[in-house]
Amino acid sequence: MPITPATATHTPSNGTADPILLELVDEDGVTIGTAEKLAAHQPPGQLHRAFSVFLFDEQGRLLLQQRALGKYHSPGVWSNTCCGHPYPGEAPFAAAARRTYEELGASPSLLAEAGTVRYNHPDPESGLVEQEYNHLFVGMVQSPLGPDPEEIASTAFVTPAELAERHARAPFSAWFMTVLDAARPAIRELTGPSAGW
């Protein structure tokens, strides 16, 4: 399984190690350049392209992940199924599918675009800033999970009531509620009214 941890470099086919670059964008989501990943998150943050995935099981429960304790940004907090950044020139849909498999060891059985949201969320713990133009995706997962322990400490499928209870007692990522609220119309369309999203 290919692994691309947040602070690692990726190795292109020529064998040299390059820093992970993010796509910088303007307020309309148009690419304007690139920046090294950690540098883009240093205050005040540089607006860059990102994605967030929300996967559900057949009962309409949302798959949450608890970020691994070794991650440099937001370690140990709960968040949506998967989130990350496309490589420069990589389509957000392709990046979302790639990272979902890399982190969870399972591919979505369905994955659909659910709009975009732009936000600016400082993380008080790390001092890093999420200035993101975020592409949202919703879908289903039906195969067994095999989470990468370098990325994910734990997973849980939750109903809306269980999410509210967990959110009240456990730390969540700074961006979680923003991306969840932005994705809700597509989530409701996917899961149906009885799921309660």
Side-chain angles (χ1 to χ4, degrees), residues 1-5 10 20-21 51 53 82 84-88 90-108 111:
M1 181 186 326
I3 305 299
T4 53
H10 69 283
I20 293 178
L21 297 178
F51 64 83
V53 177
C82 180
H85 310 90
Y87 293 131
E90 183 182 26
F93 184 93
R98 171 180 60 79
R99 282 303 288 163
T100 298
Y101 180 78
E102 289 174 355
E103 291 189 11
L104 292 164
S107 294
L111 191 63

Side-chain angles (χ1 to χ4, degrees), residues 56 112-115 136-139 182-192:
F56 295 82
E113 294 182 8
L136 307 171
F137 298 93
V138 300
R184 277 187 198 275
I187 290 171
R188 291 185 187 117
E189 187 176 334
L190 174 74
T191 60

Side-chain angles (χ1 to χ4, degrees), residues 134-155:
N134 196 304
H135 296 257
L136 307 171
F137 298 93
V138 300
M140 295 188 68
V141 63
Q142 295 170 297
S143 54
L145 305 178
D148 174 6
E150 296 288 318
E151 298 288 338
I152 298 175
S154 185
T155 60

Side-chain angles (χ1 to χ4, degrees), residues 21-82:
L21 297 178
L22 306 185
E23 221 171 60
L24 300 181
V25 299
D26 65 16
E27 293 292 337
D28 297 316
V30 176
T31 303
I32 58 171
T34 61
E36 189 277 324
K37 186 173 186 176
L38 189 56
H41 290 87
Q42 298 290 338
Q46 295 173 278
L47 184 59
H48 58 274
R49 195 176 308 285
F51 64 83
S52 290
V53 177
F54 296 85
L55 296 182
F56 295 82
D57 65 9
E58 292 170 339
Q59 289 77 49
R61 298 179 303 167
L62 171 61
L63 174 58
L64 297 177
Q65 69 155 276
Q66 183 184 26
R67 294 165 62 85
L69 294 175
K71 291 182 79 71
Y72 77 98
H73 190 352
S74 302
V77 303
W78 287 89
S79 198
N80 50 294
T81 308
C82 180

